[in-house]
Amino acid sequence: MKNPAFKFFLIAIAFLLIVSFGLEIHYMSHKAVAFSTRLTILLLLNMTFLALLTLMFFVTKSLVKLHFERKHKIPGYKFKTKLVITLVILTLIPSSFLFVMSSGLITNYIDRWFGPQIKTPLDSSIEIAKAVYENEKQKTLAFAKAPFSDKSVRGYHVKFLSRIPSDASETIRAAFEGKEGTEVISGRKGDLIRAVVPEYEGKNLTRIIVVESLVPVDITKNVDKIKEAYENYLALESWKVPIKINYLLILGFMTFIVVFMALWVGLRIAKGITDPIQRLALATQQVAAGDLNTKVDTDREDEIGLLMGSFNDMVKKLKSGNDSLQSAYLYIKNILDNINSGVIMLDTSGEISVINGAACSILNIKPEEIIYQNYRDLMARIESRELQKLVSGIEGRAFKPVKKQVTAVIGDRRVILFVFITSLKDAEKYIGLLVVFDDLTDIIEAQKALTWQDVARKIAHEIKNPLTPIKLSTERMMKKWDHKDGDFDQAFRQSTQMIIKEVDSLKKLVDAFSKYGKMPEIKKTPISLPSLIHEVADLYKGYKKITIHVAAPDNLPLADLDAEQFKRVIINFFDNAIQAMMHSGKIDVTLSFDRASDWVQIEIADNGPGIKPEDREKLFHPYFSTKKEGTGLGLAIAHRIIKEHKGKIKVRDNVPAGSIFIVSIPMKET
């Protein structure tokens, strides 16, 4: 019912049915025509109507099918539509012309049946017949009124009635009531004209005079024929419209047969051409979808059969070439999956066509999440201003191969990548983009650790230089003492102050670098992290303007840690936070546990001024400090302790202000 054509067809049928029943009810009520005649005409009308409806149904069905083929764009529908329309037009024009001409001729012919040239003579004949009978009635009535003595006159039969006979007619009964009149009585010998006149004596009715005259049989028969012809004419005139409709329906039926035959022939011809095309198009779609085992079966030997044979040969060659390409692809894929560098290839539209396992591992993604997606979807997963700037610098323009080291945040992990980007070209045109990158994070971290250990040794060596002024000051005091100089007290004071100052400075540096250069051996024992953190927090109760809040889940498992060294890590974070907040603020410590990975996470958040983005990468480097009197080794030591516990550390901004240090460590030894 959702198809407009089907709705229109049902409405048209309903309308024709209503009109048909209306016409039948109207003309069946005409009693002037014999019932058999009416029934015959109505049966012919209904049969014609049903035949027309049947033909309309099949024609409409074919057109609706063609409409659906056009709507769903089934291959070959355009050719089929054009061929059918062409054949229908070529047959519809002459058929319509013949229909109009034939319907005009039939209409004129039927109108002539009921025109004045036929009806006028019939009307005149009826009037003449009426006049003859009326004249005879008047003569008979006049004879009945005339005075006479004889009861019988030639041509008339006269009789007198003094009482009403049992079989008296209405005219005779009216005469006994004082009314004269005439009547016509039909009989075997002809029509009998009777005149009846009452007779009075004074005011009393004595009897009635009945005068009868016989109309000749020949005249009666001719009058009956005229009357019958007239009545038949009137009956036929009432069926003028149904006869016209019946003839027009028959003509329309024949016209539709011609059009339908043209439509059917067009569909058959089109089917013989489009069906092979449809099979060929379907096979083409299957080949496009990757099914190279497709084959079009045909037993035709014409041009279409030749086309299908060529298609089968082409698919066979494509399959052979595809097998070779597949082997080459598997070979290349095996190479890509076994190298440590990440490899991504983009096509000309910017979609990711190839990504190897190393790239997925470095970027922490699954291949199915990003393959055949636009490269911007991948860029959205990576936080890196340097990489964004690099990509925007080469986007949409020709460029030379680019090599650059960039820092990025992937998920919760900060990484250092070495990126190589180059365009791919064949002999004629640009075909895509190749991106190769390596994760240098661990290498650089290792290099940094070695570098700063070396720095610590060098600094330990360099700090020996201040020992020279200490030695000189001591020698000066000794000399003054030996010579018993008068300014010994002044020299002693100056020298001891210099010695104390240099020794304190050296001791501070040596202690800090010694701790970094040689950490005590890790000794892990099962401990309760919440208890350890509460124990450290209790050390800061003396800071009245500092609030430390610890939140931990219930039933947190014990963790394998070196308690003393891990306390040093927490104390370092607390000290840095308190100094950043100028000894006034709030520290929130939140513990969470992931049972799937068996890792615990500690978040230490403050509401201080926060850390500058450019300083975050240097926070855990030895000898880097944002404080004037800091050694720059506190966070480096904390970072090293966490690393030796197989853990991770990172930092992010706190909202609305401050920083959050996040420490993740495994609960058990791995």
Side-chain angles (χ1 to χ4, degrees), residues 273-294:
I273 299 174
T274 57
D275 282 1
I277 294 176
Q278 289 176 358
R279 295 202 305 272
L280 193 60
L282 180 60
T284 303
Q285 292 174 356
Q286 292 174 345
V287 171
D291 184 7
L292 296 180
N293 293 317
T294 302

Side-chain angles (χ1 to χ4, degrees), residues 176-332:
F176 278 100
E177 294 177 0
K179 298 177 182 179
E180 63 184 27
T182 60
E183 62 181 351
V184 178
I185 301 172
S186 298
R188 293 182 178 179
K189 297 181 179 181
D191 291 338
L192 185 66
I193 296 176
R194 177 185 292 167
V196 181
V197 177
E199 188 177 37
Y200 295 89
E201 286 186 4
K203 293 183 179 181
N204 297 323
L205 179 65
T206 58
R207 61 180 181 177
I208 63 171
I209 303 171
V210 180
V211 179
E212 296 175 348
S213 65
L214 184 65
V215 178
V217 176
D218 294 339
I219 295 176
T220 301
K221 289 181 179 180
N222 289 329
V223 170
D224 288 340
K225 288 180 180 180
I226 292 172
K227 182 180 178 182
E228 184 180 359
Y230 187 72
E231 290 177 351
N232 289 337
Y233 176 81
L234 292 178
L236 287 175
E237 189 178 32
S238 65
W239 284 82
K240 176 181 177 181
V241 175
I243 292 172
K244 281 185 178 181
I245 292 174
N246 197 52
Y247 275 111
L248 291 176
L249 286 175
I250 293 173
L251 283 175
F253 176 70
M254 298 304 297
T255 303
F256 271 107
I257 284 180
V258 174
V259 175
F260 175 74
M261 287 300 295
L263 179 62
W264 182 80
V265 170
L267 289 173
R268 292 295 296 178
I269 295 174
K271 183 179 180 182
I273 299 174
T274 57
D275 282 1
I277 294 176
Q278 289 176 358
R279 295 202 305 272
L280 193 60
L282 180 60
T284 303
Q285 292 174 356
Q286 292 174 345
V287 171
D291 184 7
L292 296 180
N293 293 317
T294 302
K295 183 179 180 181
V296 182
D297 296 327
T298 180
D299 54 356
R300 301 177 62 155
E301 298 181 357
D302 54 6
E303 289 77 4
I304 294 178
L306 179 62
L307 176 63
M308 291 182 173
S310 300
F311 175 81
N312 291 333
D313 292 339
M314 179 189 69
V315 173
K316 189 181 297 182
K317 292 178 181 178
L318 282 175
K319 187 175 185 303
S320 176
N322 183 72
D323 291 341
S324 300
L325 288 175
Q326 190 71 17
S327 299
Y329 171 77
L330 292 175
Y331 179 74
I332 295 173

